[in-house]
Amino acid sequence: MRQTENSILQNLDWKCIGLYLALIFIGMLNVYSVSFDEAHPSLFYFGGTQGKQLIWILISLFIGFCILLTEPRFFSQTAYIFYGVGLVLLVAVLATATATKGAKSWFGIGAFGIQPSEFAKFTTSLALARYLGGLGVDLKEVRVKAIAFALILIPMGLVFLQNDTGSTLVFCSLFLVLFREGLSGKLLLYPILLGLLIIGAYLFGPYIMGGVVVVGLAGSLLFSRKTKKDILNRVFLLAFLLGIVFVANPVYEKVLAQHQKDRIDILFGKTEDLKKTGYNVNQSKIAIGSGGFLGKGYLQGTQTQYNFVPEQSTDFIFCTIGEEWGFVGSAITIVVYIFFFIHLITMAERQRSRFARIYGYCLASILFFHFAVNIGMTISLFPVMGIPLPFISYGGSSLLAFTMFLFVFIRQDASRNNLI
């Protein structure tokens, strides 16, 4: 039965919308602070960053409202079309866009830019939810695993070709959704162990880590049945792991771009370059640390007002919060995010439709990845990789894409009792 507009408004999750608006408000306050110019102090100065962000907020709210008035089944029925359009845009930007800061990720439209990879996260989540939400789809089947992996890896590969490492890694968060839907937890353990081996080879050298692998597998053999099959399995596993250990560093040297290697070296303390590659993070930590408990006050942050931190309105917006609002402001922002994520998971679990539940987990996973990595890189827990802070960082593509992403889920939730 088709819902009326009044019943839709009654069933909307206003707590979720309130948390979204709170993050938008925090973002607008801090974007205004970063872009503050005494010559153009008005929030409505559309020639400045603050005015452009306000335009994107209004556009996003309008699109979000339109989504709430859309029939919820429209998104599941057209999921593959959205996915196809997303892929076409990713190919088009590769073919036509001019490289900006080493990445071919943007379409220029007048004074504005559109980044297709931001929307691809949304369209990929729609397609993944549509496929896994189908009747009789079981992730224990090899064919189902292969198709689900392909739906994620194809756009992920196209974004990687754009030389946008940060956005490429965001797609990895979608694999977490597969474990919620029945994928074996062992498959999550393997990449973690491989990652630790690769980091170990980078830090301690391949021979030491190779020795660790040999000792570990030899020790596990002592507690096995020592059948011919067990021995052969460990021999093959030993060969594979040693290959990873000894190939890791050559790949690091030959495949990664110099700026990527520099960021990794600084993260793990192998080098310290506070004037070039490490400059952004160092200035960010100075800004956050100087804020103290209560902060320096709104529009009073010296690092912020004197533009010491590059990309401060986008990738490093959190250090503005830290400097001007201090520990209290940073903690409040993080708490708002945590409540937001918990609420999204709660909403996902109450869905009657598999499509809506899976889609909700895709949304929560991607937003959490952005949140954790963005804040982590401002305090040097992660290498700098150009990932915006959801709903807070300046940027029309990310704000609009995340708003569409969220409001489609809110619309699904409002009709959850009518969807199966």
Side-chain angles (χ1 to χ4, degrees):
M1 182 174 65
R2 187 181 298 273
Q3 290 177 291
T4 65
E5 292 182 14
N6 287 335
S7 66
I8 292 171
L9 292 175
Q10 290 172 359
N11 292 326
L12 288 178
D13 192 306
W14 290 103
K15 183 185 290 185
C16 185
I17 293 175
L19 290 167
Y20 161 78
L21 292 176
L23 291 171
I24 291 288
F25 179 71
I26 292 170
M28 191 65 247
L29 279 178
N30 287 281
V31 168
Y32 177 80
S33 178
V34 173
S35 60
F36 180 74
D37 182 358
E38 291 184 354
H40 302 285
S42 173
L43 175 64
F44 302 100
Y45 173 60
F46 298 111
T49 300
Q50 71 273 27
K52 293 177 182 177
Q53 184 71 353
L54 183 59
I55 290 173
W56 281 115
I57 288 174
L58 295 175
I59 291 173
S60 298
L61 291 174
F62 175 73
I63 296 297
F65 179 74
C66 291
I67 289 172
L68 295 181
L69 299 180
T70 304
E71 183 68 24
R73 285 190 176 88
F74 168 79
F75 300 104
S76 60
Q77 292 170 349
T78 59
Y80 295 140
I81 296 175
F82 276 108
Y83 182 72
V85 172
L87 294 183
V88 169
L89 290 175
L90 290 177
V91 172
V93 78
L94 269 174
T96 63
T98 303
T100 303
K101 297 179 182 178
K104 297 182 68 174
S105 305
W106 295 84
F107 287 121
I109 303 175
F112 296 92
I114 296 293
Q115 189 175 10
S117 60
E118 295 294 343
F119 296 92
K121 300 164 193 174
F122 162 58
T123 59
T124 301
S125 298
L126 279 175
L128 188 65
R130 169 65 187 276
Y131 176 66
L132 294 178
L135 292 175
V137 175
D138 187 350
L139 268 169
K140 294 178 182 178
E141 298 179 13
V142 175
R143 179 183 64 85
V144 173
K145 287 190 187 78
I147 293 175
F149 277 52
L151 286 172
I152 300 171
L153 291 173
I154 291 172
M156 183 176 172
L158 290 172
V159 174
F160 177 76
L161 293 176
Q162 297 173 11
N163 199 25
D164 186 351
T165 306
S167 295
T168 301
L169 292 176
V170 171
F171 283 88
C172 294
S173 63
L174 291 177
F175 288 102
L176 297 175
V177 180
L178 304 184
F179 295 102
R180 166 61 183 83
E181 295 304 313
L183 195 66
S184 173
K186 292 180 180 179
L187 294 177
L188 180 61
L189 181 62
Y190 296 150
I192 292 175
L193 291 176
L194 287 177
L196 291 175
L197 276 179
I198 291 170
I199 293 173
Y202 165 80
L203 292 175
F204 307 112
Y207 293 103
I208 291 177
M209 292 310 298
V212 170
V213 169
V214 171
V215 171
L217 287 177
S220 69
L221 189 61
L222 294 175
F223 298 98
S224 70
R225 292 175 294 175
K226 300 183 183 64
T227 63
K228 183 177 180 181
K229 183 178 179 181
D230 288 331
I231 294 173
L232 285 175
N233 285 341
R234 279 167 176 74
V235 169
F236 284 122
L237 182 59
L238 176 64
F240 172 73
L241 294 179
L242 288 178
I244 293 292
V245 166
F246 282 93
V247 166
N249 285 346
V251 168
Y252 165 81
E253 292 292 341
K254 303 295 183 182
V255 175
L256 295 185
Q258 187 59 48
H259 71 276
Q260 294 171 327
K261 291 188 286 187
D262 290 341
R263 289 171 180 175
I264 293 172
D265 289 343
I266 289 171
L267 176 68
F268 287 103
K270 282 199 167 186
T271 61
E272 185 175 292
D273 185 359
L274 302 183
K275 294 184 177 180
K276 294 182 180 179
T277 304
Y279 178 81
N280 291 24
V281 174
N282 185 56
Q283 295 298 321
S284 174
K285 291 192 292 184
I286 291 173
I288 294 171
S290 67
F293 188 69
L294 294 175
K296 295 179 177 178
Y298 191 53
L299 300 179
Q300 301 302 312
T302 53
Q303 295 290 110
T304 297
Q305 299 306 316
Y306 292 102
N307 300 316
F308 281 105
V309 186
E311 310 296 340
Q312 191 165 355
S313 63
T314 53
D315 302 343
F316 288 89
I317 191 74
F318 187 74
C319 72
T320 305
I321 299 172
E323 181 179 32
E324 297 192 344
W325 303 93
F327 173 81
V328 172
S330 300
I332 290 173
T333 302
I334 291 172
V335 167
V336 171
Y337 270 116
I338 290 173
F339 276 126
F340 188 44
F341 298 138
I342 292 173
H343 192 63
L344 287 176
I345 292 172
T346 302
M347 289 172 67
E349 284 295 335
R350 74 188 182 196
Q351 301 305 308
R352 297 176 64 191
S353 158
R354 286 189 68 193
F355 168 83
R357 183 185 71 234
I358 295 166
Y359 179 82
Y361 269 98
C362 289
L363 171 65
S365 297
I366 285 178
L367 289 178
F368 180 77
F369 187 94
H370 270 265
F371 159 78
V373 172
N374 178 276
I375 293 180
M377 72 185 190
T378 62
I379 56 177
S380 196
L381 291 179
F382 293 107
V384 177
M385 55 181 75
I387 291 180
L389 190 59
F391 308 117
I392 291 183
S393 290
Y394 168 74
S397 294
S398 63
L399 178 59
L400 180 56
F402 283 139
T403 298
M404 293 170 62
F405 207 158
L406 174 64
F407 274 73
V408 168
F409 183 49
I410 293 173
R411 183 64 186 92
Q412 298 293 312
D413 179 73
S415 299
R416 65 185 181 276
N417 292 327
N418 299 322
L419 297 175
I420 299 176

PDB file of all heavy atoms in Angstrom, residues 6 16 22 33 48 63 69 74 91 95 103 108 119 128 141 180 191 205 260 280 287 314 317 348 377 385 395 411 416:
ATOM      1  N   ASN A   6       2.092  12.399   4.818  1.00  0.00           N
ATOM      2  CA  ASN A   6       2.000  12.576   6.267  1.00  0.00           C
ATOM      3  C   ASN A   6       2.498  11.360   7.022  1.00  0.00           C
ATOM      4  O   ASN A   6       3.209  11.477   8.020  1.00  0.00           O
ATOM      5  CB  ASN A   6       0.544  12.877   6.670  1.00  0.00           C
ATOM      6  CG  ASN A   6       0.126  14.276   6.275  1.00  0.00           C
ATOM      7  OD1 ASN A   6       0.964  15.162   6.132  1.00  0.00           O
ATOM      8  ND2 ASN A   6      -1.175  14.483   6.097  1.00  0.00           N
ATOM      9  N   CYS A  16      17.941  10.131  13.743  1.00  0.00           N
ATOM     10  CA  CYS A  16      18.979  10.016  12.713  1.00  0.00           C
ATOM     11  C   CYS A  16      19.130  11.324  11.955  1.00  0.00           C
ATOM     12  O   CYS A  16      20.246  11.794  11.713  1.00  0.00           O
ATOM     13  CB  CYS A  16      18.631   8.870  11.758  1.00  0.00           C
ATOM     14  SG  CYS A  16      19.906   8.522  10.534  1.00  0.00           S
ATOM     15  N   ALA A  22      23.158  17.877  13.055  1.00  0.00           N
ATOM     16  CA  ALA A  22      24.169  18.313  14.017  1.00  0.00           C
ATOM     17  C   ALA A  22      25.563  18.288  13.385  1.00  0.00           C
ATOM     18  O   ALA A  22      26.355  19.225  13.563  1.00  0.00           O
ATOM     19  CB  ALA A  22      24.133  17.421  15.258  1.00  0.00           C
ATOM     20  N   SER A  33      35.048  29.072   9.784  1.00  0.00           N
ATOM     21  CA  SER A  33      36.231  29.519  10.521  1.00  0.00           C
ATOM     22  C   SER A  33      37.490  29.414   9.672  1.00  0.00           C
ATOM     23  O   SER A  33      38.302  30.342   9.633  1.00  0.00           O
ATOM     24  CB  SER A  33      36.391  28.697  11.801  1.00  0.00           C
ATOM     25  OG  SER A  33      37.560  29.073  12.506  1.00  0.00           O
ATOM     26  N   GLY A  48      33.386  32.759  -1.749  1.00  0.00           N
ATOM     27  CA  GLY A  48      34.311  32.102  -0.831  1.00  0.00           C
ATOM     28  C   GLY A  48      33.896  30.679  -0.517  1.00  0.00           C
ATOM     29  O   GLY A  48      32.809  30.216  -0.896  1.00  0.00           O
ATOM     30  N   ILE A  63      17.805  17.599  -2.167  1.00  0.00           N
ATOM     31  CA  ILE A  63      17.854  16.250  -2.737  1.00  0.00           C
ATOM     32  C   ILE A  63      17.403  15.230  -1.702  1.00  0.00           C
ATOM     33  O   ILE A  63      16.661  14.283  -2.008  1.00  0.00           O
ATOM     34  CB  ILE A  63      19.278  15.918  -3.227  1.00  0.00           C
ATOM     35  CG1 ILE A  63      19.678  16.844  -4.376  1.00  0.00           C
ATOM     36  CG2 ILE A  63      19.368  14.460  -3.670  1.00  0.00           C
ATOM     37  CD1 ILE A  63      18.844  16.722  -5.621  1.00  0.00           C
ATOM     38  N   LEU A  69      10.428  11.580  -0.525  1.00  0.00           N
ATOM     39  CA  LEU A  69       9.127  11.522  -1.199  1.00  0.00           C
ATOM     40  C   LEU A  69       9.088  10.459  -2.296  1.00  0.00           C
ATOM     41  O   LEU A  69       8.073  10.292  -2.967  1.00  0.00           O
ATOM     42  CB  LEU A  69       8.796  12.892  -1.807  1.00  0.00           C
ATOM     43  CG  LEU A  69       8.678  14.061  -0.814  1.00  0.00           C
ATOM     44  CD1 LEU A  69       8.339  15.345  -1.554  1.00  0.00           C
ATOM     45  CD2 LEU A  69       7.637  13.763   0.253  1.00  0.00           C
ATOM     46  N   PHE A  74      11.846   1.947  -5.450  1.00  0.00           N
ATOM     47  CA  PHE A  74      12.531   2.501  -6.619  1.00  0.00           C
ATOM     48  C   PHE A  74      14.032   2.251  -6.541  1.00  0.00           C
ATOM     49  O   PHE A  74      14.673   1.932  -7.546  1.00  0.00           O
ATOM     50  CB  PHE A  74      12.257   4.006  -6.705  1.00  0.00           C
ATOM     51  CG  PHE A  74      13.124   4.738  -7.685  1.00  0.00           C
ATOM     52  CD1 PHE A  74      12.852   4.700  -9.042  1.00  0.00           C
ATOM     53  CD2 PHE A  74      14.229   5.474  -7.251  1.00  0.00           C
ATOM     54  CE1 PHE A  74      13.662   5.370  -9.954  1.00  0.00           C
ATOM     55  CE2 PHE A  74      15.037   6.153  -8.146  1.00  0.00           C
ATOM     56  CZ  PHE A  74      14.749   6.099  -9.509  1.00  0.00           C
ATOM     57  N   VAL A  91      34.815   5.565 -15.526  1.00  0.00           N
ATOM     58  CA  VAL A  91      35.588   5.398 -16.762  1.00  0.00           C
ATOM     59  C   VAL A  91      35.751   6.747 -17.452  1.00  0.00           C
ATOM     60  O   VAL A  91      36.836   7.088 -17.954  1.00  0.00           O
ATOM     61  CB  VAL A  91      34.897   4.387 -17.697  1.00  0.00           C
ATOM     62  CG1 VAL A  91      35.583   4.364 -19.061  1.00  0.00           C
ATOM     63  CG2 VAL A  91      34.908   2.996 -17.079  1.00  0.00           C
ATOM     64  N   ALA A  95      39.123   8.964 -18.594  1.00  0.00           N
ATOM     65  CA  ALA A  95      39.411   9.272 -19.994  1.00  0.00           C
ATOM     66  C   ALA A  95      39.509  10.766 -20.272  1.00  0.00           C
ATOM     67  O   ALA A  95      40.232  11.184 -21.182  1.00  0.00           O
ATOM     68  CB  ALA A  95      38.327   8.653 -20.882  1.00  0.00           C
ATOM     69  N   ALA A 103      46.032  12.922  -9.184  1.00  0.00           N
ATOM     70  CA  ALA A 103      44.889  12.013  -9.320  1.00  0.00           C
ATOM     71  C   ALA A 103      43.920  12.548 -10.373  1.00  0.00           C
ATOM     72  O   ALA A 103      43.627  13.744 -10.423  1.00  0.00           O
ATOM     73  CB  ALA A 103      44.173  11.857  -7.988  1.00  0.00           C
ATOM     74  N   GLY A 108      35.447  19.012 -13.848  1.00  0.00           N
ATOM     75  CA  GLY A 108      35.316  20.427 -13.546  1.00  0.00           C
ATOM     76  C   GLY A 108      34.047  20.983 -14.168  1.00  0.00           C
ATOM     77  O   GLY A 108      33.805  20.817 -15.367  1.00  0.00           O
ATOM     78  N   PHE A 119      30.298   9.194  -5.358  1.00  0.00           N
ATOM     79  CA  PHE A 119      28.980   8.650  -5.676  1.00  0.00           C
ATOM     80  C   PHE A 119      29.057   7.147  -5.936  1.00  0.00           C
ATOM     81  O   PHE A 119      28.069   6.432  -5.748  1.00  0.00           O
ATOM     82  CB  PHE A 119      28.388   9.382  -6.886  1.00  0.00           C
ATOM     83  CG  PHE A 119      28.132  10.838  -6.626  1.00  0.00           C
ATOM     84  CD1 PHE A 119      29.092  11.791  -6.927  1.00  0.00           C
ATOM     85  CD2 PHE A 119      26.947  11.253  -6.036  1.00  0.00           C
ATOM     86  CE1 PHE A 119      28.866  13.137  -6.666  1.00  0.00           C
ATOM     87  CE2 PHE A 119      26.711  12.595  -5.773  1.00  0.00           C
ATOM     88  CZ  PHE A 119      27.678  13.537  -6.089  1.00  0.00           C
ATOM     89  N   LEU A 128      25.255  -3.966  -4.307  1.00  0.00           N
ATOM     90  CA  LEU A 128      25.618  -5.069  -3.412  1.00  0.00           C
ATOM     91  C   LEU A 128      24.411  -5.486  -2.575  1.00  0.00           C
ATOM     92  O   LEU A 128      24.155  -6.690  -2.399  1.00  0.00           O
ATOM     93  CB  LEU A 128      26.773  -4.634  -2.503  1.00  0.00           C
ATOM     94  CG  LEU A 128      27.405  -5.720  -1.626  1.00  0.00           C
ATOM     95  CD1 LEU A 128      28.078  -6.778  -2.494  1.00  0.00           C
ATOM     96  CD2 LEU A 128      28.425  -5.100  -0.662  1.00  0.00           C
ATOM     97  N   GLU A 141      28.060 -20.068  -1.052  1.00  0.00           N
ATOM     98  CA  GLU A 141      28.294 -20.564  -2.410  1.00  0.00           C
ATOM     99  C   GLU A 141      29.426 -19.780  -3.068  1.00  0.00           C
ATOM    100  O   GLU A 141      29.498 -18.557  -2.956  1.00  0.00           O
ATOM    101  CB  GLU A 141      27.030 -20.442  -3.244  1.00  0.00           C
ATOM    102  CG  GLU A 141      25.853 -21.259  -2.730  1.00  0.00           C
ATOM    103  CD  GLU A 141      24.610 -21.074  -3.577  1.00  0.00           C
ATOM    104  OE1 GLU A 141      24.725 -20.508  -4.690  1.00  0.00           O
ATOM    105  OE2 GLU A 141      23.527 -21.484  -3.137  1.00  0.00           O
ATOM    106  N   ARG A 180      28.853  -9.872   7.987  1.00  0.00           N
ATOM    107  CA  ARG A 180      27.555  -9.782   8.669  1.00  0.00           C
ATOM    108  C   ARG A 180      26.524 -10.678   7.975  1.00  0.00           C
ATOM    109  O   ARG A 180      25.615 -11.219   8.623  1.00  0.00           O
ATOM    110  CB  ARG A 180      27.078  -8.324   8.678  1.00  0.00           C
ATOM    111  CG  ARG A 180      25.599  -8.122   9.056  1.00  0.00           C
ATOM    112  CD  ARG A 180      25.293  -8.621  10.440  1.00  0.00           C
ATOM    113  NE  ARG A 180      23.889  -8.510  10.782  1.00  0.00           N
ATOM    114  CZ  ARG A 180      22.931  -9.379  10.448  1.00  0.00           C
ATOM    115  NH1 ARG A 180      23.235 -10.460   9.726  1.00  0.00           N
ATOM    116  NH2 ARG A 180      21.681  -9.190  10.826  1.00  0.00           N
ATOM    117  N   PRO A 191      43.507 -11.636   5.667  1.00  0.00           N
ATOM    118  CA  PRO A 191      44.105 -10.360   5.256  1.00  0.00           C
ATOM    119  C   PRO A 191      44.765  -9.606   6.414  1.00  0.00           C
ATOM    120  O   PRO A 191      45.739  -8.885   6.208  1.00  0.00           O
ATOM    121  CB  PRO A 191      42.919  -9.568   4.679  1.00  0.00           C
ATOM    122  CG  PRO A 191      41.703 -10.257   5.157  1.00  0.00           C
ATOM    123  CD  PRO A 191      42.070 -11.688   5.357  1.00  0.00           C
ATOM    124  N   GLY A 205      62.547  -6.206   7.999  1.00  0.00           N
ATOM    125  CA  GLY A 205      63.252  -6.871   6.910  1.00  0.00           C
ATOM    126  C   GLY A 205      62.662  -8.248   6.606  1.00  0.00           C
ATOM    127  O   GLY A 205      62.081  -8.894   7.483  1.00  0.00           O
ATOM    128  N   GLN A 260      53.607   8.550  -1.662  1.00  0.00           N
ATOM    129  CA  GLN A 260      52.993   7.502  -0.844  1.00  0.00           C
ATOM    130  C   GLN A 260      54.035   6.848   0.063  1.00  0.00           C
ATOM    131  O   GLN A 260      53.772   6.595   1.251  1.00  0.00           O
ATOM    132  CB  GLN A 260      52.327   6.466  -1.742  1.00  0.00           C
ATOM    133  CG  GLN A 260      51.140   7.013  -2.514  1.00  0.00           C
ATOM    134  CD  GLN A 260      50.632   6.048  -3.565  1.00  0.00           C
ATOM    135  OE1 GLN A 260      51.409   5.290  -4.166  1.00  0.00           O
ATOM    136  NE2 GLN A 260      49.329   6.065  -3.806  1.00  0.00           N
ATOM    137  N   ASN A 280      52.043  18.774   6.835  1.00  0.00           N
ATOM    138  CA  ASN A 280      50.610  18.849   7.127  1.00  0.00           C
ATOM    139  C   ASN A 280      50.280  18.223   8.479  1.00  0.00           C
ATOM    140  O   ASN A 280      49.591  18.825   9.310  1.00  0.00           O
ATOM    141  CB  ASN A 280      49.804  18.136   6.036  1.00  0.00           C
ATOM    142  CG  ASN A 280      49.850  18.865   4.714  1.00  0.00           C
ATOM    143  OD1 ASN A 280      50.782  19.615   4.448  1.00  0.00           O
ATOM    144  ND2 ASN A 280      48.841  18.648   3.892  1.00  0.00           N
ATOM    145  N   ALA A 287      48.158  22.193  15.985  1.00  0.00           N
ATOM    146  CA  ALA A 287      46.860  22.859  16.128  1.00  0.00           C
ATOM    147  C   ALA A 287      46.006  22.168  17.181  1.00  0.00           C
ATOM    148  O   ALA A 287      45.446  22.821  18.083  1.00  0.00           O
ATOM    149  CB  ALA A 287      46.136  22.886  14.781  1.00  0.00           C
ATOM    150  N   THR A 314      39.227  20.639   4.228  1.00  0.00           N
ATOM    151  CA  THR A 314      38.809  19.337   3.702  1.00  0.00           C
ATOM    152  C   THR A 314      39.377  18.199   4.557  1.00  0.00           C
ATOM    153  O   THR A 314      38.757  17.765   5.515  1.00  0.00           O
ATOM    154  CB  THR A 314      39.247  19.189   2.231  1.00  0.00           C
ATOM    155  OG1 THR A 314      40.668  19.464   2.130  1.00  0.00           O
ATOM    156  CG2 THR A 314      38.504  20.172   1.347  1.00  0.00           C
ATOM    157  N   ILE A 317      40.062  19.127   8.544  1.00  0.00           N
ATOM    158  CA  ILE A 317      39.076  19.957   9.229  1.00  0.00           C
ATOM    159  C   ILE A 317      39.039  19.658  10.730  1.00  0.00           C
ATOM    160  O   ILE A 317      38.727  20.538  11.541  1.00  0.00           O
ATOM    161  CB  ILE A 317      37.682  19.758   8.597  1.00  0.00           C
ATOM    162  CG1 ILE A 317      36.688  20.809   9.107  1.00  0.00           C
ATOM    163  CG2 ILE A 317      37.154  18.347   8.876  1.00  0.00           C
ATOM    164  CD1 ILE A 317      36.884  22.161   8.535  1.00  0.00           C
ATOM    165  N   ALA A 348      19.663  -0.621  10.980  1.00  0.00           N
ATOM    166  CA  ALA A 348      19.881  -1.704  10.025  1.00  0.00           C
ATOM    167  C   ALA A 348      19.329  -3.024  10.549  1.00  0.00           C
ATOM    168  O   ALA A 348      18.708  -3.797   9.806  1.00  0.00           O
ATOM    169  CB  ALA A 348      21.373  -1.830   9.707  1.00  0.00           C
ATOM    170  N   MET A 377      44.407  10.223  10.611  1.00  0.00           N
ATOM    171  CA  MET A 377      45.527  10.816   9.873  1.00  0.00           C
ATOM    172  C   MET A 377      45.845  12.227  10.379  1.00  0.00           C
ATOM    173  O   MET A 377      46.984  12.688  10.260  1.00  0.00           O
ATOM    174  CB  MET A 377      45.241  10.829   8.370  1.00  0.00           C
ATOM    175  CG  MET A 377      44.209  11.793   7.887  1.00  0.00           C
ATOM    176  SD  MET A 377      43.890  11.566   6.107  1.00  0.00           S
ATOM    177  CE  MET A 377      42.874  13.021   5.789  1.00  0.00           C
ATOM    178  N   MET A 385      45.794  10.296   3.323  1.00  0.00           N
ATOM    179  CA  MET A 385      45.294   9.691   2.083  1.00  0.00           C
ATOM    180  C   MET A 385      44.073  10.405   1.513  1.00  0.00           C
ATOM    181  O   MET A 385      43.332   9.847   0.716  1.00  0.00           O
ATOM    182  CB  MET A 385      44.994   8.208   2.301  1.00  0.00           C
ATOM    183  CG  MET A 385      44.042   7.894   3.436  1.00  0.00           C
ATOM    184  SD  MET A 385      43.781   6.107   3.640  1.00  0.00           S
ATOM    185  CE  MET A 385      45.314   5.595   4.414  1.00  0.00           C
ATOM    186  N   GLY A 395      33.302  20.257   0.805  1.00  0.00           N
ATOM    187  CA  GLY A 395      33.304  19.495  -0.442  1.00  0.00           C
ATOM    188  C   GLY A 395      31.904  19.114  -0.858  1.00  0.00           C
ATOM    189  O   GLY A 395      31.181  18.450  -0.105  1.00  0.00           O
ATOM    190  N   ARG A 411      14.708   6.614   4.109  1.00  0.00           N
ATOM    191  CA  ARG A 411      13.444   6.340   3.383  1.00  0.00           C
ATOM    192  C   ARG A 411      13.083   4.860   3.471  1.00  0.00           C
ATOM    193  O   ARG A 411      11.906   4.514   3.661  1.00  0.00           O
ATOM    194  CB  ARG A 411      13.588   6.755   1.913  1.00  0.00           C
ATOM    195  CG  ARG A 411      12.297   6.567   1.108  1.00  0.00           C
ATOM    196  CD  ARG A 411      11.210   7.470   1.644  1.00  0.00           C
ATOM    197  NE  ARG A 411       9.931   7.237   0.998  1.00  0.00           N
ATOM    198  CZ  ARG A 411       9.003   6.389   1.435  1.00  0.00           C
ATOM    199  NH1 ARG A 411       9.234   5.680   2.544  1.00  0.00           N
ATOM    200  NH2 ARG A 411       7.859   6.258   0.801  1.00  0.00           N
ATOM    201  N   ARG A 416       9.754   0.371   6.577  1.00  0.00           N
ATOM    202  CA  ARG A 416      10.228  -0.986   6.877  1.00  0.00           C
ATOM    203  C   ARG A 416       9.099  -1.966   7.169  1.00  0.00           C
ATOM    204  O   ARG A 416       9.231  -3.167   6.894  1.00  0.00           O
ATOM    205  CB  ARG A 416      11.213  -0.965   8.047  1.00  0.00           C
ATOM    206  CG  ARG A 416      10.612  -0.533   9.377  1.00  0.00           C
ATOM    207  CD  ARG A 416      11.701  -0.439  10.454  1.00  0.00           C
ATOM    208  NE  ARG A 416      11.168  -0.043  11.747  1.00  0.00           N
ATOM    209  CZ  ARG A 416      10.951   1.222  12.098  1.00  0.00           C
ATOM    210  NH1 ARG A 416      11.236   2.200  11.259  1.00  0.00           N
ATOM    211  NH2 ARG A 416      10.462   1.496  13.298  1.00  0.00           N
TER     212      ARG A 416
END
